[in-house]
Amino acid sequence: MTDDNLRRWLGGVADELIPAGDGMPAATEAGVAGGQLDLVLAVRPDLARALNRAWALAGEHEPAPALRLLADLDPRAHQALLEIVSGGYYTSSLVRRLLNYTGQQPVPVRPEDHPAYLAEGLLDRVVERGPVHRDPDSLSRRQ
């Protein structure tokens, strides 16, 4: 068993899970069995053991039967495989570009800007009522 064989098998399984369609690439076209696998395992090294277990258990099978076998015999390895494929796919710069996903962006909050729910009066009753909490420093301890 070599790294190339494992990557070739993972590519087949990944394309079974994420085939090309609707203008989106298949998993292997997004590099799921190549550089994206390295990226996923660098971030989640805990998945490497499960991937190796999946390979040892189902590496001799075609993709669809391999996935069924893993789901039946080793659900944790199956789940790890799904995470590796989906994680590698959706972190691919090609896929992100095609989805127009630029990642999480900071949204500055300006304290002088009041949220709309304040202008709508949703909190007026709460403001008029005033605080109803008890000061924990003034509470005595039960014995």
Side-chain angles (χ1 to χ4, degrees):
M1 172 179 355
T2 66
D3 187 57
D4 288 341
N5 287 340
L6 185 147
R7 286 177 186 270
R8 199 172 6 265
W9 175 77
L10 176 62
V13 170
D15 283 349
E16 178 73 18
L17 293 168
I18 307 176
D22 294 329
M24 297 301 293
T28 53
E29 295 172 288
V32 166
Q36 293 304 111
L37 174 60
D38 299 330
L39 175 72
V40 169
L41 293 180
V43 175
R44 293 281 314 271
D46 58 302
L47 296 176
R49 179 178 284 175
L51 174 61
N52 286 325
R53 223 174 43 241
W55 163 246
L57 184 62
E60 298 298 321
H61 296 273
E62 293 296 315
L67 287 166
R68 285 192 299 272
L69 181 69
L70 287 170
D72 289 342
L73 298 182
D74 193 341
R76 287 186 176 187
H78 181 260
Q79 181 62 39
L81 198 58
L82 299 180
E83 290 179 32
I84 288 168
V85 170
S86 61
Y89 189 78
Y90 287 108
T91 55
S92 157
S93 59
L94 171 64
V95 171
R96 290 171 46 150
R97 183 171 41 80
L98 291 171
L99 292 173
N100 292 321
Y101 179 68
T102 59
Q104 296 179 354
Q105 303 292 320
V107 177
V109 176
R110 297 172 16 151
E112 63 272 12
D113 293 342
H114 296 285
Y117 60 83
L118 288 179
E120 295 169 355
L122 293 177
L123 295 180
D124 288 352
R125 286 182 46 201
V126 175
V127 172
E128 289 171 12
R129 181 191 67 213
V132 293
H133 66 279
R134 290 184 276 178
D135 182 0
D137 291 335
S138 67
L139 298 176
S140 62
R141 291 185 175 197
R142 290 185 182 178
Q143 299 197 20

